[in-house]
Amino acid sequence: MTGYGRGSGSEPWHPEDPLYGDQGWSGQQTDGSPHHHAQQPQPQAHPEPHAQPYGGQQYQYQEQAAVYGAQQYGGQQHDGQQFAGQQYDGRQHSGQQYDGQQYDGAWDTGQQAAMPYGTPPAPAAPYGAGDPDPYRTPEAYPPPQPPGQRRPADQQPGYAEEREPEPEEENHPFFSNGDGDDADRDDPEADDPASTRSERRGRSRNAKGSKDSKKAKKRKSRNGVACLVVALVLVGGAGGVAYFGYQFWQSQFGAAPDFEGTGSSETVQVTIPQGAGGYEIGSILVKNGVVKSQGAFVSAQSKHPKGKNIQAGVYTLKKGMSAASAVELMLNPQSQSTLIIPEGRRNAWVYEQIDKKLQLKAGTTEAVATAEAKNLGLPAWAVGHRDVKDPLEGFLFPASYPVAKGAKPEDVLKKMVARAKAEYTKADLEGKAKSLGLKSPWELLTVASLVQVEGKTDDDFRRMSEVVYNRLKPTNTETNQLLQFDSAFNYLQGESNIDISEAEINSNQDPYNTYTQKGLTPGPISNPGIEALEAAMNPTKEGWMYFVATDGMNKTEFAKTHDEFLKLKDKFNDSKGRG
């Protein structure tokens, strides 16, 4: 059995046969490739009686696919030019020689079928006889080309000359050679031999005429404009990068903008809310024109050893201050436009301080409190009690409150009542009152207000709370449910006198006099703080019934029986020089 193209017949090996090697088209390269070897026609194994000059196969001119006539094809040009490396039986055609190789009919052009083995070909007519030579007409077909050298129709030699020249695609002027001559770069035939390329370029330029020179001038103009635009863009981009780079460096490593000095003569009141940190405080100061930047204030606050001690409140500051000066002034209590309420102060004292802070006539705030008590936000359990001298007593919670210039008294009072209400809710006064045998949180608040005034320390508060609860018991036979607190009588009198005569006390029947009236006072007698509240809710259970400030001021001692109490009383008299 014989393989494809390897029989003993007249058909040569097929060019696409894997074993064909470098013969056929690959062996007839004319472009200077390293595999260029002119192939000689192989002798026929079985010569036919009617062998054709084209290797036993008739060349069908009308069945070819490419155009002859002034066209270059893979380095081979017809019509007045020599076919390089190929010859048609050594004969010349119209002044053209096909030298080097004889066309043997083995080209696989897809235009003809292989002849059956042993079939004699038809006699060939002499060359030039019969029909006129088709190669002399523009419609003539060129000889077949090897598959590897075939080109699309728009790249065929002479294609550009057979159609109307299309507008040349405009290249970016920045990448042109500056003289408008880009033909060599865009020409698909640029790899052709120099002689044919020169002739084709000449024809192309002649066809274009004067348009090339005009386009060249336009390209030169566009080149200049493009270079100018690119230069401007580069300069602008470099400037932008430098600017933003400087800004980034300043934000990360440079000092924040800051004023110098202690500020101008113009002052401004600034309110710092509760819980505000350095960045929030700095932002508020910047908005009010006190400091120049938030970063400068935060930096100055962090460098000051007491910078973190800046509290909420209203501060009177100067405009245009350096951040360090602002921090220093805010740490000075004189700059604060705040009202600080200490623990145990009565409402009468608070009203006076509000009038002074708001520069109001004395008694203004007290009159507002009396008239607007029900509209200031008191809880329901604090309203409607009998014989109460001040319904707001116990609800002006001890704390620091910002009081800005021009504020109204009722606004300041509302803030204080709201703070007290929040603290009492948090402490759960209602729940604790029931567990202690009290009727309402109002009574628990009253107990806390009593111990707040009498005691000095947390231990004092807890023991005094136990004294109150033990004396309120119905089984109390020591004092018969009389509290006997000097602080309650002083509240009644509007005084703070520790030395009160028994005749004066025993003759007064006011509900707030705990020497003559059993049980608690009608309401709180001060504004207790958190410690007094907690002590009132968590009293000791040691059996205390009496206490005496034996030194007359700070030292408080406790007793469980009346006899122990008498000993403490003698000690107190001795401290006063009463023998």
Side-chain angles (χ1 to χ4, degrees), residues 73-139:
Y73 214 90
Q76 306 172 11
Q77 187 170 0
H78 196 62
D79 197 3
Q81 299 183 21
Q82 181 179 3
F83 270 67
Q86 299 185 11
Q87 180 179 0
Y88 290 84
D89 288 342
R91 294 181 299 177
Q92 295 189 4
H93 175 67
S94 300
Q96 307 168 13
Q97 181 177 3
Y98 299 81
D99 56 346
Q101 292 188 11
Q102 179 180 358
Y103 178 76
D104 60 0
W107 299 349
D108 185 9
T109 65
Q111 303 292 329
Q112 61 185 16
M115 297 181 59
Y117 179 79
T119 303
Y127 187 84
D131 293 336
D133 187 356
Y135 296 108
R136 295 185 178 275
T137 64
E139 295 81 8

Side-chain angles (χ1 to χ4, degrees), residues 31 67 70-77 81 145 149-163 182-204:
D31 55 359
V67 179
Q71 300 182 14
Q72 180 184 0
Y73 214 90
Q76 306 172 11
Q77 187 170 0
Q81 299 183 21
Q145 293 278 330
Q149 298 182 7
R150 295 176 184 174
R151 301 182 180 181
D154 59 347
Q155 298 182 10
Q156 292 293 341
Y159 178 79
E161 301 161 6
E162 296 178 359
R163 57 175 177 169
D182 294 335
D184 289 344
R185 302 183 184 187
D186 297 334
D187 190 357
E189 309 291 344
D191 294 335
D192 289 348
S195 59
T196 59
R197 182 168 66 252
S198 176
E199 181 177 347
R200 181 179 67 259
R201 183 180 298 170
R203 290 196 303 270
S204 175

Side-chain angles (χ1 to χ4, degrees), residues 366-427:
E366 184 177 3
V368 172
T370 302
E372 301 291 333
K374 295 181 179 180
N375 301 322
L376 297 177
L378 290 172
W381 52 263
V383 178
H385 298 283
R386 295 176 59 186
D387 300 326
V388 174
K389 296 189 179 298
D390 187 345
L392 295 182
E393 196 74 65
F395 276 90
L396 302 184
F397 191 80
S400 176
Y401 298 94
V403 181
K405 185 178 180 180
K408 297 180 179 181
E410 53 266 36
D411 294 334
V412 179
L413 295 173
K414 282 182 179 179
K415 290 181 180 179
M416 295 179 177
V417 172
R419 176 69 181 274
K421 186 177 178 179
E423 295 291 343
Y424 299 158
T425 301
K426 186 191 303 182

Side-chain angles (χ1 to χ4, degrees), residues 394-461:
F395 276 90
L396 302 184
F397 191 80
S400 176
Y401 298 94
V403 181
K405 185 178 180 180
K408 297 180 179 181
E410 53 266 36
D411 294 334
V412 179
L413 295 173
K414 282 182 179 179
K415 290 181 180 179
M416 295 179 177
V417 172
R419 176 69 181 274
K421 186 177 178 179
E423 295 291 343
Y424 299 158
T425 301
K426 186 191 303 182
D428 189 22
L429 261 64
E430 293 189 64
K432 291 292 184 179
K434 294 178 180 180
S435 65
L436 294 169
L438 300 173
K439 296 178 181 179
S440 67
W442 178 259
E443 290 187 344
L444 179 56
L445 180 59
T446 301
V447 173
S449 71
L450 289 168
V451 301
Q452 177 73 73
V453 177
E454 293 284 354
K456 302 298 181 183
T457 65
D458 181 59
D459 289 338
D460 290 346
F461 295 152

